[in-house]
Amino acid sequence: MSLSIRNQIPGTVTSVTRGEAMATVRARLTGGQEITAAITLEAVRELGLAEGRAVRTLIKSTEVALATGPVEGISIRNQLAGTVSDIATGGAMAAVKVTVGGGELTAAITKDAVEDLGLAVGSQVVALVKSTEVSLAAD
Amino acid sequence: MSLSIRNQIPGTVTSVTRGEAMATVRARLTGGQEITAAITLEAVRELGLAEGRAVRTLIKSTEVALATGPVEGISIRNQLAGTVSDIATGGAMAAVKVTVGGGELTAAITKDAVEDLGLAVGSQVVALVKSTEVSLAAD
Amino acid sequence: MSLSIRNQIPGTVTSVTRGEAMATVRARLTGGQEITAAITLEAVRELGLAEGRAVRTLIKSTEVALATGPVEGISIRNQLAGTVSDIATGGAMAAVKVTVGGGELTAAITKDAVEDLGLAVGSQVVALVKSTEVSLAAD
């Protein structure tokens, strides 16, 4: 099966926090970073997610924001440092590829944002992803 | 492979509109509804998406909003009418299951929204999903 | 009709930038802030969006992140300053209400984020929303 979801980074579950409807799952990526995913409690059950479980974290390109450095004092749990490797620009949007530890991320952001941040191939950036935007796949 | 993404509805691609960075793909679901997905152009290429291609539309629960009836004059392209079949409520969030033509959707919305809309099992609702939140899988 | 989308702030379109598949629409909110929405070109056409058009910006709670101050050098276009007015905490998630100029926003973020940021009623925050997460309604 092929997925349109550009960003698939393998990792291992390190903790599961269960609410009544939702759960937060933390995973350590192969590059060493930690990722938090907020998913339904039902998904945790059906995928049998528990500490030690191998997973892939799935993140749609439109859910990835970029910053020119680490951001402090922000609710966004996931921040992955990397380097811009490619930029494809359209009339309104741009697709920016970022090489991070353990893989590559694509961020679909506005053309304006690319210009305002002065992004180019080689730029150091931090990819930001809200926990509610991270899905998990268990093989 | 198992996915945490609760909402996976099969369909067939009816059109692909290509931009420089992004593309919009329309698909007809087995229930007869049309879905629009805004995905990267690269994903269209790698999945070989074209008219007639069988796909599954993937929508994370946190991306599904609910309305008590059809909504006019809104940029949200995807509206699927259905009936609430289950509600699990937590301290902040709720997971609401909706039976639609061709499958079942889970919506993760705030507890406040469930109360304000007076949702209960049997309620008629319309599930709303922004095109940028729809991913596609090609088998 | 009622919508589960918690965040609906009225405004007026100030510009429309068209790509081949997607478009970015800027609107000035009644509180004076500017909001950018990345929506499909088709939605722009069907809603007849153009400068001067009255719209409501719709933002699902799960798409709102919070920061303890303005964030520079970030691709996220939309930053609305406000004050926390309420926090409802569940086992994994929290719903945080923020009063901003021209209305109120709800942010569904992880319980961990609320604790790490030390959020309480009265906290000054900046709500962050990626353009691809903003929908528009035209009355």
Side-chain angles (χ1 to χ4, degrees), chain C residues 33-117:
Chain C
Q33 308 101 323
E34 289 261 345
I35 281 270
T36 301
I39 64 179
T40 60
L41 184 62
E42 184 185 71
V44 167
R45 284 191 195 123
E46 287 190 14
L47 270 65
L49 295 181
E51 207 180 316
R53 187 84 157 86
V55 290
R56 265 177 302 142
T57 59
L58 307 180
I59 306 166
K60 203 167 182 305
S61 303
T62 47
E63 309 302 347
V64 182
L66 297 176
T68 52
V71 185
E72 308 224 334
I74 195 169
S75 67
I76 299 177
R77 299 290 86 191
N78 303 309
Q79 302 200 19
L80 304 175
T83 306
V84 173
S85 60
D86 188 68
I87 301 179
T89 308
M93 298 292 288
V96 180
K97 286 189 187 168
V98 179
T99 304
V100 298
E104 190 176 62
L105 286 174
T106 299
I109 63 178
T110 60
K111 191 179 65 166
D112 282 357
V114 170
E115 289 164 6
D116 287 355
L117 271 63

Side-chain angles (χ1 to χ4, degrees), chain B residues 93-115:
Chain B
M93 299 292 288
V96 180
K97 286 192 187 168
V98 179
T99 305
V100 298
E104 190 175 59
L105 286 173
T106 300
I109 62 179
T110 59
K111 189 180 65 165
D112 281 359
V114 170
E115 289 164 5

